[in-house]
Amino acid sequence: MGEGCRIEADVKSVLRTARRARESFEAAKRLEQETLEQITYLHATDYGGVSVQSSATSRTTEDLALRLERIHERALKRLDDLEARQRRAQEIIDRLEDDVWADVLTRYYILGDTWQQVAAGAGYSERQIYRIHGEALQWLRCH
């Protein structure tokens, strides 16, 4: 590292966290959607005007609805956390002055592409992508 560079040790860890968060984000989003659909179904259940008197059935349905609502709330909180991590990583990448550096880091850390996909999408060899990636991280550490 050159003289005069201040070390921002957390740059790579923030970016890595955002990359890992992408998979969790997708899973949490699916869970949020599934539970929302189940909650909507439970609340919209129509028994054709028939009054259901069974306290056991009512209690079970009510318990299930409450559990689903808690899962839904946890999923929403997780989504908020993951979106915040993605925003933080994007803020770091947005500091880059070189569009190629920003493209490589965005493809890898934000979009979750593999190194091969990054290389193909950016039009460089995989070896060049590693070099570009290193240059971008070095610049971020110094600026």
Side-chain angles (χ1 to χ4, degrees), residues 79-90:
L79 286 172
D80 288 344
D81 176 58
L82 297 172
E83 287 173 343
R85 291 171 190 258
Q86 290 274 312
R87 279 192 306 274
R88 175 67 180 119
Q90 190 63 58

Side-chain angles (χ1 to χ4, degrees), residues 1-8 138-139 141-143:
M1 182 172 310
E3 287 186 40
C5 290
R6 64 177 164 71
I7 298 174
E8 188 175 331
Q138 179 64 28
W139 190 90
R141 287 182 185 112
C142 294
H143 294 91

Side-chain angles (χ1 to χ4, degrees), residues 23-36:
E23 290 177 9
S24 295
F25 178 87
E26 295 300 328
K29 190 69 178 160
R30 283 190 303 275
L31 177 62
E32 186 267 340
Q33 183 60 41
E34 289 169 10
T35 57
L36 186 59

Side-chain angles (χ1 to χ4, degrees), residues 19 22 86 103 105-113 117:
R19 181 172 168 81
R22 181 167 180 73
Q86 290 274 312
D103 183 49
L105 268 58
T106 298
R107 287 174 185 271
Y108 187 72
Y109 292 109
I110 303 297
L111 301 178
D113 288 354
Q117 291 169 326

Side-chain angles (χ1 to χ4, degrees), residues 103-143:
D103 183 49
V104 168
L105 268 58
T106 298
R107 287 174 185 271
Y108 187 72
Y109 292 109
I110 303 297
L111 301 178
D113 288 354
T114 64
W115 287 119
Q116 294 83 10
Q117 291 169 326
V118 172
Y124 292 95
S125 71
E126 197 171 331
R127 184 175 179 177
Q128 288 173 305
I129 291 299
Y130 295 142
R131 180 187 50 77
I132 293 166
H133 174 260
E135 290 171 354
L137 291 180
Q138 179 64 28
W139 190 90
L140 287 168
R141 287 182 185 112
C142 294
H143 294 91

Side-chain angles (χ1 to χ4, degrees), residues 42-106:
L42 284 174
H43 287 303
T45 301
D46 180 7
Y47 294 101
V50 175
S51 177
V52 178
Q53 297 295 322
S54 170
S55 63
T57 302
S58 175
R59 188 76 224 153
T60 302
T61 303
E62 206 173 290
D63 288 345
L64 180 57
L66 289 172
R67 279 197 313 244
L68 287 171
E69 286 174 3
R70 284 194 299 271
I71 291 169
H72 184 249
E73 287 302 314
R74 285 197 308 265
L76 288 176
K77 286 179 184 174
R78 182 74 176 141
L79 286 172
D80 288 344
D81 176 58
L82 297 172
E83 287 173 343
R85 291 171 190 258
Q86 290 274 312
R87 279 192 306 274
R88 175 67 180 119
Q90 190 63 58
E91 288 169 4
I92 288 172
I93 292 169
D94 288 346
R95 293 180 4 211
L96 291 167
E97 296 176 349
D98 185 290
D99 291 339
V100 173
W101 290 347
D103 183 49
V104 168
L105 268 58
T106 298

